[in-house]
Every structure is written in structure tokens, then in C-alpha cells.
Amino acid sequence: MSNVVTRFAPSPTGLLHAGNYRTAVFAYLFAKHSGGSFILRIEDTDIARSKPEFEANIIEALTWLDLKTDNQYRQSEHRARHRELLEKLIAADAAYISKETPENQGDREEVIRFRNPRGTVSFTDVIHGKITMDVSDLGDFVIARSIDEPVFHFAVVVDDMDENITHVIRGEDHISNTPRQILIQRALGFTSPTYAHLPLILGNDRTKLSKRKGAKAITEYRDLGVLPEAMLNYLAFLGWNPGDEREYLDRDTLIDSFDLTRVHKGAAIFDEVKLLSVNQHWMRKLSDADFIKYIDARYSSATDTVRLQKATFLLKERAHTFNEARELVSGELSCLFIEPVLDMNLLIAKEPSDHPGTTKAALEELLDPIKSLPENISAETVKDVLMPLATIAETKRKGGRGAMLWPLRYSLSGKERSPDPFTLISILGPKETITRIKKAIDMLEDEKK
Ligand code: GLU
């Protein structure tokens, strides 16, 4: 074990979006790459806004992403320690109780202010290099609203120290807070951790990604059927890449390749379309059996598992999430599992009006060749057998290939859009195919009567 300790320090005041978890991913990858520890600290000192359900959602999201923590803390559990160190600063006259003139309702008459030594504060950020800021303008800033209510800057400094955090990895929006926190560290006699401020994450509209502007909570992606390995892969690439052409990295490879010094300075764009294409990659990598497990987990109307197994390649081809896969199973591909209801007009849609009966004749012609097909057969072989039948001279069957292939596909699918008839037959098998074709023939027969 190295002594590297990183932390993810979210406030449980709302559902966090995927971009928020990029911080957790980078802190985790850096810790694990260095053989160190990764800590979760729930920053719940804002009593009014912190909610247990948001904390539960954070734990759920980290569990889903499998970002295992080596320790978990709740900031509110450290109140006594915060108080102790506030008192210490006041005793050393590095902070003082300040009488205030309340301007707004709810303003305190007394707060605790830090005696700002003024001048400049510099630190070296792993990503941004040396940063120097003049802290004079901050004045004697507030570090607690009362002895039991430290503000964020104070609590963060104390907790980072007590939890032996070596690297503070967090969003760029915290850069401006860092000099204040360094001043507090110095007053308490703490050594400053190493800072790495991650580039902002913007939405497609190039403004900061935020829940208010419609960014989904990360757990919504889980519920849509995004794989955790896909989300991890995607988030790791928001502001970082391994420096070569590789785009799809699993957890171990990410841990192996992650390098904080390669993190970009420029903002990263959260692009849902790209996320879903990364997800499709990871979905396709699953074995068919595992893929089906994901569908079955929340969807059970595809009861015919043999057919579902045979149809998996279609789902892998088309779906970007497991929700989409389930929608295909109950929508466009439902004919693979449920017998379709046919519409006469669509059944004869490709029949030349001056040659009535073409559809029925074409379907009847197909019965024997299909009957002789084996139960397990590839779409290609079905095509090899049936295509020559469809491609007979226009003089023999008016309407060309379509006059046979359309009613065949339609009697099997009952849909204007579906996979080609050869694929359908290879999944349904010859027996079910014959049953469906016969139904269509019966319908055409009834129509004649
Ligand atoms: N609780 C802070 C936030 O949610 C993070 C503080 C930090 O990382 O230092 O933005």
C-alpha cells in the first residue's frame, strides 16, 4: 500500500448527475493506480438541504459503478472535532468572534471570522501548474456561522487532514476556494495536500452540465440499462485519455493506464449519444447468455428463451441500452415471441391489382420448401433456398420478388417494418413459420368466399 489517499466528497443535497461522478472516477482511478485508498466523505453539514435519500442515492451509484471505498465518513460525525479546532484558532487569535450587523433575514449577529494575513497564496496544481492568488480582497472571511456550524472551507480542511488525504481531486470550480483553505491549513499547522482540479464538464449547449438544465441523475442511466463498465469507461474519458488510440478500456486497464498529469485543462463535453455508443460496445461484448440475463432481469414477456437467444444478435445490432433492447422485444421484434395479427390490406399490398390471387399462390408455393428446412438453420441458408423461388420470371408471377417476399415477411411479422423474412424464419423455425403462413393463406381463402 502506498500512502496515497483520495476522496470523493459530495454533498447529499440533490441527485448527482453523471458529471459529478467523473470526480469520483478520477479520484478512484488515481488512488488505485497508486496502490492507495479511496474514501467517500458525505458532506452533510448543511442540515436543511442534506437528505438521507440523496445520500442513499450516492452510495447506490458508487456501488453500481463498483467504485469500492476503503472508508466512508459523514462530515456531520466530526462536529466535535470541528469545534475543537475552531476553539483552537480562536484561542490563538487566528480567528475571532465577530459582531455583525444583520442585513437580511436570517443573518447572524455573530459569526467566526478568520484573521486573513493578506498577500498572495500560491500552490502547484497537478493539472493547472502553479496558481497564485491575492487573498487580500477576501478580507477576514467567515469560517463558521457559530462554534457548532463551521462553513465548508473549514470542515473540508479539518476532515482532509484527519482522513490523511494526500490528493484533493475535485472540480475546477473549487480552484478559487483553495487559497482560503490553504490559509486555514497554515493556521492549523497542517501540511497542504496536493491539489488536482479537474476540467469542467459542459453539456452539448456548452454551458456547465447541471441537473437544473436537464442533466440526468446517474442512476437514471442505470435504470435505462446502461452498463456500469460503459459508464465508467465513458466518465474516465471526460478530460483524460490514455494517450493512444484505445477508446474502450475496462476497469483494470483504466486503473493501470490512469495518469493524473495527463488530465486536460480544457472543458470536457458530456455527450449522451457518445455515452450510448460506448454502452452499445460493452453490451455487444457480453455473451448472448449474459445479454439475455440483463433483459430478463426486468422484462419477462419474451418467454421463449430459445428464440430470444437466436434474436440476440438483432438486439446487439440495434439497441444502445437494455431498455431499448426490451422495447425491441416488445415492439418491433415482438413477432418473434407473439403471433401477429394480420391486416388483409397489408397482406396483399404488393399484389398487382390486375392479377388477384398472386399472394396466395406465392405463399402456397413456399410451404413445401420451408417444411423441408431443418429446425436450426441460418438466415443465409434460408435465403439460399428461398431466393431462387422469389426470383422467378415476371411472366410466371406478376409483381416480381416482392409479390412473394412481402407477403412472406408480413405473414410472419404482421408489421410493415421488421427484419427480412430469412432472418425471421431462422429465428421462428420452420414449424412456426408454416403455421403463420397457413394462417395467412386461410385469411386469403376466407376473403375469397
Ligand atoms: N462538497 C463539495 C462539493 O460537493 C466538494 C468539496 C471538495 O471536494 O473539496 O462540491
Side-chain angles (χ1 to χ4, degrees):
M1 283 291 270
S2 76
N3 68 348
V4 166
V5 185
T6 66
R7 73 339 185 246
F8 177 47
S11 307
T13 52
L15 294 175
L16 302 185
H17 58 64
N20 298 130
Y21 286 94
R22 192 273 313 259
T23 305
V25 169
F26 281 31
Y28 170 86
L29 292 177
F30 176 71
K32 296 301 140 185
H33 177 85
S34 322
S37 316
F38 169 63
I39 281 176
L40 169 66
R41 182 174 67 234
I42 301 282
E43 303 215 318
D44 60 345
T45 39
D46 185 340
I47 306 161
R49 292 175 60 228
S50 296
K51 299 268 181 310
E53 61 267 33
F54 298 138
E55 180 178 324
N57 186 264
I58 291 168
I59 311 267
E60 246 178 60
L62 292 178
T63 309
W64 175 62
L65 288 169
D66 199 18
L67 299 182
K68 284 202 184 67
T69 56
D70 296 287
N71 261 312
Q72 292 189 9
Y73 302 100
R74 228 182 251 120
Q75 194 155 59
S76 58
E77 287 160 2
H78 307 149
R79 287 227 172 79
R81 173 69 171 157
H82 298 152
R83 184 191 171 107
E84 176 195 329
L85 292 181
L86 272 174
E87 281 168 347
K88 188 175 156 188
L89 284 189
I90 295 170
D93 199 32
Y96 59 95
I97 296 170
S98 150
K99 301 277 176 217
E100 304 288 312
T101 324
E103 281 170 18
N104 298 308
Q105 218 194 348
D107 283 357
R108 305 296 171 98
E109 290 184 9
E110 241 181 51
V111 294
I112 299 170
R113 288 186 179 273
F114 183 79
R115 225 176 264 294
N116 185 347
R118 294 171 168 77
T120 60
V121 170
S122 297
F123 64 99
T124 304
D125 186 280
V126 178
I127 297 156
H128 298 268
K130 188 167 178 192
I131 295 177
T132 303
M133 284 190 198
D134 195 322
V135 291
S136 310
D137 288 348
L138 299 174
D140 286 353
F141 52 89
V142 176
I143 53 172
R145 282 179 288 272
S146 77
I147 197 73
D148 288 312
E149 292 168 285
V151 302
F152 158 70
H153 299 297
F154 187 80
V156 126
V157 162
V158 173
D159 291 358
D160 281 342
M161 177 64 197
D162 285 353
E163 290 153 17
N164 301 313
I165 305 299
T166 58
H167 292 73
V168 167
I169 299 172
R170 60 185 177 186
E172 202 179 281
D173 43 339
H174 285 291
I175 287 187
S176 59
N177 295 329
T178 306
R180 238 180 290 224
Q181 294 172 14
I182 290 176
L183 289 176
I184 300 171
Q185 283 154 3
R186 288 181 187 160
L188 287 167
F190 296 169
T191 350
S192 295
T194 300
Y195 287 97
H197 286 96
L198 307 179
L200 288 179
I201 300 181
L202 309 180
N204 274 326
D205 62 354
R206 310 274 152 161
T207 66
K208 201 173 164 222
L209 194 67
S210 84
K211 287 290 316 299
R212 246 181 313 114
K213 280 190 266 136
K216 290 188 181 72
I218 200 171
T219 41
E220 288 180 64
Y221 286 108
R222 174 199 62 190
D223 300 341
L224 286 176
V226 167
L227 288 166
E229 45 272 57
M231 184 57 94
L232 185 71
N233 187 168
Y234 182 69
L235 292 181
F237 276 68
L238 284 182
W240 174 85
N241 66 58
D244 50 41
E245 294 304 304
R246 288 174 302 164
E247 271 187 273
Y248 304 112
L249 270 55
D250 64 17
R251 172 185 315 272
D252 287 346
T253 317
L254 284 171
I255 291 176
D256 217 46
S257 342
F258 192 76
D259 178 353
L260 211 42
T261 63
R262 285 192 50 82
V263 174
H264 314 155
K265 282 199 193 78
I269 308 278
F270 182 85
D271 177 3
E272 189 172 290
V273 173
K274 176 73 183 154
L275 164 66
L276 297 188
S277 95
V278 172
N279 192 48
Q280 185 172 53
H281 167 88
W282 288 100
M283 284 170 77
R284 287 176 177 171
K285 273 190 84 108
L286 293 176
S287 69
D288 287 357
D290 283 342
F291 192 98
I292 287 171
K293 263 191 234 152
Y294 272 97
I295 293 186
D296 273 355
R298 288 176 223 135
Y299 189 87
S300 57
S301 85
T303 40
D304 192 324
T305 46
V306 176
R307 281 192 213 157
L308 185 55
Q309 201 136 19
K310 286 186 182 169
T312 302
F313 84 96
L314 284 175
L315 301 173
K316 282 185 171 175
E317 224 168 68
R318 296 163 188 222
H320 295 83
T321 63
F322 284 101
N323 247 13
E324 277 183 23
R326 287 186 279 270
E327 272 163 29
L328 283 166
V329 167
S330 57
E332 200 176 323
L333 300 178
S334 61
C335 62
L336 298 174
F337 311 100
I338 304 159
E339 213 179 280
V341 179
L342 304 183
D343 171 331
M344 178 61 82
N345 290 330
L346 285 172
L347 180 60
I348 59 166
K350 296 285 155 79
E351 182 166 290
S353 54
D354 54 343
H355 283 81
T358 317
T359 302
K360 187 165 165 272
L363 289 178
E364 278 167 347
E365 211 182 306
L366 283 162
L367 290 174
D368 280 338
I370 292 175
K371 257 183 225 159
S372 60
L373 296 174
E375 190 60 34
N376 278 312
I377 189 160
S378 72
E380 262 156 57
T381 315
V382 177
K383 188 173 179 180
D384 288 345
V385 175
L386 300 188
M387 207 47 157
L389 296 175
T391 324
I392 56 166
E394 179 81 357
T395 45
K396 257 192 100 187
R397 188 196 314 112
K398 288 288 167 196
R401 280 183 192 178
M404 178 179 262
L405 296 181
W406 171 274
L408 171 62
R409 197 188 58 69
Y410 182 72
S411 27
L412 299 179
S413 67
K415 288 196 175 7
E416 289 187 74
R417 280 190 41 175
S418 78
D420 66 76
F422 317 114
T423 304
L424 293 177
I425 294 172
S426 74
I427 296 171
L428 293 170
K431 252 177 75 192
E432 176 66 18
T433 301
I434 293 292
T435 309
R436 292 189 186 186
I437 293 175
K438 279 189 172 158
K439 275 223 167 126
I441 294 173
D442 286 350
M443 218 173 133
L444 291 161
E445 201 120 297
D446 290 346
E447 169 87 350
K448 260 198 344 209
K449 282 180 200 156

